[in-house]
Amino acid sequence: MEEKLLRILAEDVGQGDITTELTVPEGRMAEAEVIAKEDGVVAGIEEAKVLLESLGLNVEALTADGEVVKAKQTLLKIHGDAKTILAAERTLLNLLSRMSGIATTTRNLVKKIQKAGLKTKVACTRKTAPGLLYFDKKAVLIGGGDTHRLHLDDMVLIKDNHIAIVGSVEEAVKRAKEGCSFSKKIEVEVTTIEEALTAARVGADIIMLDNFSPTQIKEAVKQLERTGFYGKILLEASGGITAENILEYASTGVDIVSLGEITDSAKTLDISLEIVKLQK
Amino acid sequence: MEEKLLRILAEDVGQGDITTELTVPEGRMAEAEVIAKEDGVVAGIEEAKVLLESLGLNVEALTADGEVVKAKQTLLKIHGDAKTILAAERTLLNLLSRMSGIATTTRNLVKKIQKAGLKTKVACTRKTAPGLLYFDKKAVLIGGGDTHRLHLDDMVLIKDNHIAIVGSVEEAVKRAKEGCSFSKKIEVEVTTIEEALTAARVGADIIMLDNFSPTQIKEAVKQLERTGFYGKILLEASGGITAENILEYASTGVDIVSLGEITDSAKTLDISLEIVKLQK
Amino acid sequence: MEEKLLRILAEDVGQGDITTELTVPEGRMAEAEVIAKEDGVVAGIEEAKVLLESLGLNVEALTADGEVVKAKQTLLKIHGDAKTILAAERTLLNLLSRMSGIATTTRNLVKKIQKAGLKTKVACTRKTAPGLLYFDKKAVLIGGGDTHRLHLDDMVLIKDNHIAIVGSVEEAVKRAKEGCSFSKKIEVEVTTIEEALTAARVGADIIMLDNFSPTQIKEAVKQLERTGFYGKILLEASGGITAENILEYASTGVDIVSLGEITDSAKTLDISLEIVKLQK
Amino acid sequence: MEEKLLRILAEDVGQGDITTELTVPEGRMAEAEVIAKEDGVVAGIEEAKVLLESLGLNVEALTADGEVVKAKQTLLKIHGDAKTILAAERTLLNLLSRMSGIATTTRNLVKKIQKAGLKTKVACTRKTAPGLLYFDKKAVLIGGGDTHRLHLDDMVLIKDNHIAIVGSVEEAVKRAKEGCSFSKKIEVEVTTIEEALTAARVGADIIMLDNFSPTQIKEAVKQLERTGFYGKILLEASGGITAENILEYASTGVDIVSLGEITDSAKTLDISLEIVKLQK
Amino acid sequence: MEEKLLRILAEDVGQGDITTELTVPEGRMAEAEVIAKEDGVVAGIEEAKVLLESLGLNVEALTADGEVVKAKQTLLKIHGDAKTILAAERTLLNLLSRMSGIATTTRNLVKKIQKAGLKTKVACTRKTAPGLLYFDKKAVLIGGGDTHRLHLDDMVLIKDNHIAIVGSVEEAVKRAKEGCSFSKKIEVEVTTIEEALTAARVGADIIMLDNFSPTQIKEAVKQLERTGFYGKILLEASGGITAENILEYASTGVDIVSLGEITDSAKTLDISLEIVKLQK
Amino acid sequence: MEEKLLRILAEDVGQGDITTELTVPEGRMAEAEVIAKEDGVVAGIEEAKVLLESLGLNVEALTADGEVVKAKQTLLKIHGDAKTILAAERTLLNLLSRMSGIATTTRNLVKKIQKAGLKTKVACTRKTAPGLLYFDKKAVLIGGGDTHRLHLDDMVLIKDNHIAIVGSVEEAVKRAKEGCSFSKKIEVEVTTIEEALTAARVGADIIMLDNFSPTQIKEAVKQLERTGFYGKILLEASGGITAENILEYASTGVDIVSLGEITDSAKTLDISLEIVKLQK
C-alpha cells in the first residue's frame, strides 16, 4: 500500500513542488490540521498515516477509519517539515476526500437497510475509478459494505459474455468446476429464472440475478425455495439498484444487493488542510 | 501512458482472470462492441486504443475524443482473442466511463458560457481522484476546458499556506522571482482586494481570487483597472463555483473560472461492452 | 508472466553474456533444438514460448504442456539470432527442467491414485522455491494436481498459529465469517477430531486434518458422518504424506491429499539445448 | 538483496493475507521461534534478518550462516507485530529451507573430499531454480563450495555451442582474447584431449573437461604435464559427477569438480515457525 | 532524488563489490573524509547526504552547496560501516566531481558578467550528459545560473524544426496559444530579425535569437525597441556563445545568454575520499 | 540497454513535449538526418537505433560504431512520426555526442601509442559521469580502448583504502584468494616498489602502479624482471597520465595505461538533427 501511495504522490508532485521550494525556507517546521468541512464517515486515515509517516512526518490521528465526524472536526494533526507537508497536501486530501465520500455513501445505504429490519448485505461492484479498486473497495468496507471480488481471481464469476462464448450456463459451470481449485467459489450471473434454476442445479455457490425487477426476484426466490435450493446457495441482486429503490430490492429475500454507483460516481467529502503553527 | 494503463490493468486483473481461464477455450477469437448507454461527450478513446493494442487486440474507433455521441451508439469495435477482451473489459470501461463523464460535464459548462457570449475559460483544479490527475485533466481538455497546473512544477502557485509560512504576499513573490527560472509564470492566490493589488504590483503573472463573491470580484476588477494592471495580468476566480452559478462568476471580467467538482465528484457516462460475434 | 520471465532472464544474464558477445558474430542466425534427456511430463512450454518470442526468436513447439515425452524427444525448435539463443539458453533450461520435473512427479502421484480407483485430489502446498510459487504451482496443475491457495488472499485458511493467537477454533471462524466477503471460502486446519467437529459446526467450508494418521482420519470421517457434516464440507489430509504412503491417505475418505515435497524438493527433468544448424 | 526478498514476499502474499487480517487483532505483539526439524548446515540467516527487519520485526539470530545445527535447535527468535510475522512466515521458511538444504548437501561433498586428503574444490553450475541463482549460489558458498560464474559476464566461458558456431577452439579463444578486457579470465569447455591441449596452447586460463571419465581425465592431465601446461592453468571436471562418484573425479588431478544437482535438485532442510508467546 | 541516486549506485556496484566483501571484515567501522584536490564551487552536497544516509552512514557536511572551497579542504566527514563506504565511494565521487565542476564553470561565467556591471542571466541548455539533466541543471543553479527548461513540458519552446513542420512562426505561435493552458509561457526560436518581430507581434512571451552575432542582436534589440516590444518580452541569445565571448553577447541588451558547453563538456572538479580512522 | 535508454528519454521528456503536442499535427510523417558538425569517431549508433526503433521510427544508419567521420557527414536517416522524432531529438543527440566525443578522444590516444610502435593498452577508469558507466565505457571500447572493470564484481581490485583497513598487501591478497571463486582475477594497487614485489610474490594476477613517475615505473619493471615475475603478471600504470604525457608512460614496459579524463571530462562531438522532408 505504501508503494501505491508513494507512486500516486510522485505522479502528483511531478518533478518537485517549485512554489514550496522557492518560498519556504529549508528546515522550517510546521503543524497542520486536516479538518472535515461537512458531516460524514471518515475513511483513509490508515492510508494517510502510512503516506505521511513514510515522508518522515509525525501524525496524530484524532479519528479512526469508520468514525462518524461532524463539520469542522479535526481528523489529523501533522507535525514536521513544512515543505514536505505542502508537497503532500493535495494527494492527502484527494485520498481522504474520495475514500470518506465513498464510506459515507455506503454507510447511508447500510443504515437504511438495517433500519428496515433487514439483513441484506450491501456490496459494491468492480465499477471503480480506474486504478483505485483497492482504495475504493476499502472505503466500502469501512462504510460497512461488502467488497465483492477485489481481483479477477478471487472467485469464478461467470457473466453474460462468458455464457455467450461458451454456449450455456450448464457448460460454463461444468468447465469451471472441472478446472478450478477446491479453494474457490463459483458465482453465475443469470438473466432469467430458468437460468437461475439451472445454475443452482449444476452446483453454483452463488447466483447473481442481473437486472431483475423486485417482482422477478421474488418469483425466482419462490421457485428456488420450491426446488430446495433456497438457503443453500447465496443470492445477489444487481443492476438498476440505487439509493432510492434499494429497500425494494433488499426486501425480496436476496442475501446481497450490489450497486456500481457507490464507487464509480462517488461524491467526495469536503476536507481541507490548514497550517496552524510555525516553528523556527 | 501505456505503462500507466497496463499498471491499472494489472492491478485490476490481479493474478489472472480465472473465470475466463476456466471457461473460454484457448485461442477463441471474438468481436466486441463498446456502446454508449446515454448521451454525452466521448473521452478516453486514445487511451482505449493504446491499452487494447498493447494487448494485441485490433481496435476500430468509430468515434474520436471530443465527439458528441448518442445513447446506443457504438464507440469502438474490438477484434481478437476472446480471453484477452474479457480480461480487459472492466478496466477499459472504467476508464472510458470516467473520462467521458468528466468531458461531458466540462463541455456543458463551456457551452453555457459560450452561449452567454462570454470568453471566460473553464479550468479544473488539482482535486482529482488520487493518481488519476493525468486522465482526469486530459478529459477536461477534451471537454474544452483548461487543465491548469498538471504538476507542482508547472508554474509557481503561491497559496494561502505558503503565505502563512512566508509572512506576506510581497515576500512570497519576491522569493519566487529571485529563485525561479525565467521560463515559469507566477500565480498568487489572494483572499482580499488589497492582496490582489499587492500581487499585481510586485509582479505576479496571474492572480487567483479565492472564495470571492461575484460582487467582490467586480470590485477587484475595478480597482485593478484603476491601477493599470487589468489586461496585463490574468485573473482567475476559484472557490464556491458550481454548474448553477458559473455564469455569474464568468461575467465578472475574470479570464478563468475554476471548479473542483468537475474532476473530484465526476459522474461517469454509462458505457458497456458486448461480445457480438464468435469465431472458431 | 512475460515480465517475471524477463526479470529472471535479466538476473541470470547480469550485464551481458560476454562470451557470446566476444565469439559469435553480430547477426549470425542459428537453429536450435530443446531435447528431453529422460522420460517425463513436459511443463513450461507456454512460458518458454513467451520468453523466447519476447526476445524476437521464432519458436516451434513440438509438444504441449502436459504431454508425456520420451528421452531424446525434441520439445522445441528455436530459430533466430544465435547470440540471443545462447544468452537465453540457461534460463530457458532451468525453467523447463524444473517445471517438467514437478509435473512429472505430480502426474505419477495422480496416476497412482486413479489406478487404485480413487477420486481423491492431489494438491500441493505453499512450500515452493522462494519466488517460484506461480511457476511451481502451474507445473502441479499441468501434472494434474490441484494448486490449492496461490496467494494468501485466495481463501481464508485458519492455521495453528492463528488459532494460537485468537484462542479457539470457534472464535477464529466467527471472526472470519463476520469480516470476510461472501465471495470467499473458509478452511480450518485442525489437529484433533474435536476441533474438526467444532470447525464443521461453526460453518467452515473445508477442514484440513493436519498430521493425522490414516487411522485417525478414518475416525474423523466416521464422526463427521454421524453428525451429518460429511459430504457437505470438504476434507483435506496434510502432513506426513509421501509418494510411498499416499494411497493409504487417499483411501480414507478425504477429498484432497496435499504434499509439500512435490514443489519444495522437486527433482528436475534433464533437458538440453543444441545448436543444430547455422546460417550466414 | 532486500529488494529481491521483498519482491518474493510480495508475490507470495499477493494482495494481502486475509486470514490474518480477519482473525488477528490490529497491534497484537507476538514472539516466534524458527526451529530446525532435522540436522544440517544453516544458510539464509542474513537474508532472513534483512527480510524480517525490513518489515519492522526484531530478530535475534541464535545461529549464523554456515553453522551446523541439530534437529529441534532454535535458529531465530522473532519479536513484533503478529500479523506481520504470519504474513512473512511461508516466504521466510521457503528461503531458509532451500538455502540450508543446498548448504547441507554442499558441505557433505566438501567434507568427503577433505577426508580423502584432497584439495579439489567443489563448484556448482548455473543449473539453479529459475531466478534463484543468487540465493542458490550463496548457499553453496556457505556450505564451503565455489560459486563458479554468478553472471554471464563474470568470465569468458566458451562452451560447445560457441565452438559449434565459431568453428574451432583456436578461433574462439582468439576472438575472446582480442576483444575482452585484461581483467577477465577465459575458460574453455572441451570434449577431447586434443581440444584440451589446443586450448592450453592458445592461452586459456581454465579448461573444463566436459563429460570425461576419470580415466580420460587422468590421460588429459598426463598430456598437459608432458606439454608443460599442467599447474599453469586450472582444470575443471564437469558432467556426470554425483555424490556417489565425486571422489573418483576429485582424485584425478583436476583443481575443481562441478555438479549441477547441488542446486537444481536440492532437497530442502525441514524448518518451521512457531508462535511461542503473545502480548496484549 | 533518492531513488535516482540509489539506481546510479546500483548500476555502478553491479552485483556487489567483491573486493570489499573479500577483504574487509563484516561490521568494521571507519571514518572517511571527502577532500577537494583543487579550488572551486562545491555542488552535490545535498545529493551526497541523501545517498550516504540512505545507506545508513552518518554524514557531517563541512561545506554547503554553492560554497567556494580551496584545494585540500575537507568537504564531508563520513562515519559508518567500512564496507558500505567503500562500495559507495566511486558513485559519490563521480557525482560530487561532476556537479562541482559544472557549478565552478557556471560561477566563473556569472562573476565575469557581474564584474562587467551587467544583469544578464547565464542559462544552460538541454545539452547535458544523457540522463543527468536533473543533476547537471541543479549544479548550474548552485553556480548561480538559470536552469532554463528542465523538462519538455516546462514551457512551450518553438524551435526551427517545429517551424519547419508548421510552416511559419505565426502559425506555430497561434496553435500554441490556442491549445495551451494559461499557466505556461511561450518562447520562440528565431533566425532572422523579421521572425523576431513577428514572434513579438503574435504574442510570444520570450524570443530566442539563435546563432545571431552580437551585432545582429543589437540590431534586433533596436527594432524591438522601435516597435514597442522591448522590455515587455524577454530576449535570449543562444548559439556560438563561449566563456571567451560571453561578455560581448551579454552586453547587447538581451536578458539571458545560454550555453551548451557548461553541461555537455563539463570538466570535473578533482575530489577524493580517504579512510582516516578505523574502529574495531 | 533498451530499458536504460527509455528511462533516460522518459526523464528527459518529463510529462510530455508540449511544444510538439501543440504545434505538430497528429500523424504528420517526416524524414530527419543526424549530421556530424565536426570530424571524429562515431559511437552510439547501436544505442541510437535501439532507442529510435523502440519508439516505432525507421532508422537507416549510414555509419557504424567506430567509423571515422567528417564534418557535415550524415550519420543516420530517420523516418517516421514527426512528433516522436522531435520528442526524442535531444536525448538522441546528447547520447551520440557524448559517446562519439569519448570514442574520438580514446582513438586519438590509441593511435598515438600505435604510431610510436608500442603495444600498450589504453584503459579508462571508473571515473565516469554518474550513472553512465555503461555508455561511457562502451564508447571507450569503440574507440579502441580497454574498459577495465565495468562493475565492482568484475574482478578483485585491492585499492589503498582496502589495504588501509586490512593492514597489509599480503593480508589483503590472502583474504581475496581464500574467499573468491577461481573464475576471478586479482589486481592490487600499490604505491611503492616494495609493495609491487610483495603483490607479485603473494600471487596477484595484475599490479596497478598508482601515481608512479615513468622513472619509478621503469625501476619497478626492472626489479620484477630480476625476481622473475615480469611477463607472468600484468602491469598497469595509473594516475597523472594525460594526453600529453601518455607516450612516456606507455614506453616504460607496462601492459596497460589508464586515464580518468577520457570519461570524466569528456568533450562532446558536435552533432545535430534536421528535419529534411515532410509528408502529409
Side-chain angles (χ1 to χ4, degrees), chain E residues 19 46 48 83 87 94 99 104 114 120 148 161 163 166 177:
Chain E
T19 311
E46 195 190 335
K83 279 173 184 280
N94 282 349
M99 289 185 71
T104 302
Q114 290 177 347
T120 327
H148 217 296
N161 279 330
I163 296 168
V166 172
K177 285 187 93 78

Side-chain angles (χ1 to χ4, degrees), chain B:
Chain B
M1 180 177 71
E2 186 177 338
E3 194 192 320
K4 272 187 214 178
L5 291 169
L6 291 175
R7 195 168 57 212
I8 290 175
L9 178 64
E11 282 191 21
D12 199 31
V13 169
Q15 291 94 16
D17 173 359
I18 55 167
T19 310
T20 302
E21 286 304 319
L22 290 168
T23 59
V24 179
E26 199 71 47
R28 192 65 174 275
M29 302 302 279
E31 196 174 302
E33 289 186 2
V34 174
I35 300 164
K37 310 294 257 191
E38 50 180 325
D39 297 1
V41 176
V42 166
I45 294 295
E46 196 190 334
E47 282 72 19
K49 283 171 72 176
V50 168
L51 174 66
L52 297 169
E53 286 172 355
S54 76
L55 298 171
L57 299 170
N58 286 313
V59 189
E60 186 191 351
L62 306 184
T63 47
D65 284 329
E67 267 185 38
V68 175
V69 297
K70 294 280 169 198
K72 298 198 183 160
Q73 191 171 335
T74 300
L75 311 180
L76 296 171
K77 288 198 177 189
I78 306 169
H79 185 270
D81 179 60
K83 279 173 184 281
T84 309
I85 295 174
L86 293 182
E89 174 181 352
R90 183 46 40 211
T91 303
L92 174 70
L93 295 180
N94 283 349
L95 188 75
L96 281 171
S97 301
R98 180 172 181 89
M99 289 184 71
S100 299
I102 292 173
T104 302
T105 304
T106 306
R107 187 186 174 90
N108 290 343
L109 297 174
V110 169
K111 286 289 161 209
K112 203 168 179 180
I113 287 176
Q114 290 177 346
K115 274 189 196 153
L118 296 166
K119 299 206 154 186
T120 325
K121 288 190 173 192
V122 175
C124 58
T125 67
R126 291 171 55 74
K127 293 184 179 174
T128 68
L132 294 181
L133 193 126
Y134 171 80
F135 298 115
D136 283 5
K137 293 227 163 182
K138 182 161 176 198
V140 168
L141 191 65
I142 288 170
D146 189 301
T147 56
H148 216 296
R149 283 191 305 174
L150 267 170
H151 297 276
L152 293 177
D153 64 344
D154 276 356
M155 77 169 149
V156 178
L157 173 39
I158 299 167
K159 307 198 74 175
D160 53 350
N161 280 330
H162 296 106
I163 295 169
I165 292 172
V166 172
S168 70
V169 165
E170 281 97 327
E171 180 61 18
V173 176
K174 186 167 153 274
R175 288 190 192 175
K177 285 188 93 81
E178 273 169 19
C180 105
S181 170
F182 66 87
S183 57
K184 298 283 184 187
K185 287 192 178 174
I186 297 174
E187 177 166 12
V188 184
E189 177 184 310
V190 300
T191 51
T192 64
I193 294 177
E194 289 66 40
E195 280 188 339
L197 293 169
T198 303
R201 187 171 38 78
V202 295
D205 296 297
I206 313 167
I207 294 172
M208 182 199 290
L209 306 167
D210 190 41
N211 282 316
F212 278 50
S213 69
T215 315
Q216 290 172 311
I217 296 176
K218 281 181 200 155
E219 177 60 26
V221 166
K222 199 189 296 173
Q223 300 208 21
L224 286 164
E225 270 176 334
R226 202 169 37 79
T227 48
F229 292 114
Y230 190 70
K232 294 196 178 137
I233 54 176
L234 295 173
L235 287 179
E236 172 183 358
S238 190
I241 307 176
T242 63
E244 284 68 40
N245 63 22
I246 195 167
L247 280 186
E248 261 188 278
Y249 283 89
S251 58
T252 53
V254 295
D255 302 280
I256 305 120
V257 289
S258 59
L259 311 81
E261 68 175 38
I262 308 181
T263 47
D264 83 350
S265 294
K267 210 197 134 295
T268 54
L269 195 74
D270 194 1
I271 296 176
S272 74
L273 179 148
E274 283 170 29
I275 298 286
V276 293
K277 223 185 278 179
L278 282 173
Q279 284 158 300
K280 304 277 154 147

